[in-house]
Amino acid sequence: MFPMLRQILRNGIVTEPAPDADIALRVTAQRLSEAMLAQLGRALVIRHVDAGSCNACELEIHALNNPYYNLEALGIKFAASPRHADMLLVTGPVAKNMEIAVKRAYDATPEPRLVVAVGDCGCTGGIFGESYASCGRVANVIPVDVCIPGCPPTPLQLMQGILAALASDRKQAKHE
């Protein structure tokens, strides 16, 4: 134990320097917060639906809640029920066994609802496409407002996609 303590005292604290601030993340977070307040006037509540993905997109969605991205500090929360949600975040190609569940989640989400398809599988069906076990992309089952491509998309791309959904909804509201 003493040799280890001597080595620690001799070398001192050895760490990497802190990384530079990510300007794109800060700008996106600020724009997302402003668009959310302008559109909803309150926090955005998201219901995530895994329609049959490989879970790579889920890992990136979970990263949105870590201290680096900290989506909850912006006022964006995830809900367990689509009845409390403003947005559905759907990942994966829609498996035949999940088709009814996705439709029910869509129907249970109150208007005005937003639907975001996440990942290449959610946007295009990915490598699975349409088959006896898969309905393919999310748009084959429910209407989709925004697609976020990538396999998997990064947390920053997810934030930009949510921002695009809020911005597109605001444009539609102005035209009506």
Side-chain angles (χ1 to χ4, degrees):
M1 183 168 120
F2 288 115
M4 187 186 333
L5 288 174
R6 259 187 256 124
Q7 183 179 359
I8 291 171
L9 290 174
R10 197 174 330 125
N11 293 339
I13 298 173
V14 182
T15 61
E16 296 178 4
D20 294 332
D22 189 354
I23 302 301
L25 176 62
R26 288 187 181 183
V27 169
T28 301
Q30 181 65 32
R31 290 179 55 211
L32 186 57
S33 182
E34 290 169 1
M36 179 186 62
L37 289 175
Q39 179 64 28
L40 301 171
R42 58 177 170 75
L44 173 68
V45 181
I46 299 173
R47 169 66 172 133
H48 168 243
V49 178
D50 180 353
S53 73
C54 68
N55 291 330
C57 294
E58 279 72 19
L59 292 173
E60 300 300 319
I61 290 170
H62 287 298
L64 289 173
N65 285 325
N66 71 22
Y68 187 76
Y69 296 100
N70 201 6
L71 217 59
E72 194 145 333
L74 300 176
I76 299 174
K77 301 174 186 206
F78 285 86
S81 171
R83 297 186 192 284
H84 303 124
D86 303 306
M87 176 184 291
L88 287 178
L89 203 61
V90 186
T91 58
V94 181
K96 292 280 187 183
N97 293 337
M98 284 297 292
E99 182 179 9
I100 294 171
V102 169
K103 286 179 182 177
R104 285 182 180 169
Y106 178 79
D107 292 337
T109 307
E111 291 283 347
R113 60 183 158 238
L114 296 168
V115 178
V116 177
V118 177
D120 289 340
C121 295
C123 297
T124 64
I127 60 172
F128 305 102
E130 294 179 41
S131 68
Y132 70 94
S134 173
C135 297
R137 62 188 185 141
V138 176
N140 290 348
V141 179
I142 58 174
V144 172
D145 297 304
V146 172
C147 289
I148 305 173
C151 189
T154 64
L156 183 59
Q157 289 173 318
L158 291 167
M159 291 172 70
Q160 290 168 342
I162 292 168
L163 175 63
L166 287 170
S168 72
D169 192 45
R170 190 168 50 203
K171 288 177 187 173
Q172 289 175 358
K174 285 181 182 179
H175 292 296
E176 290 176 356

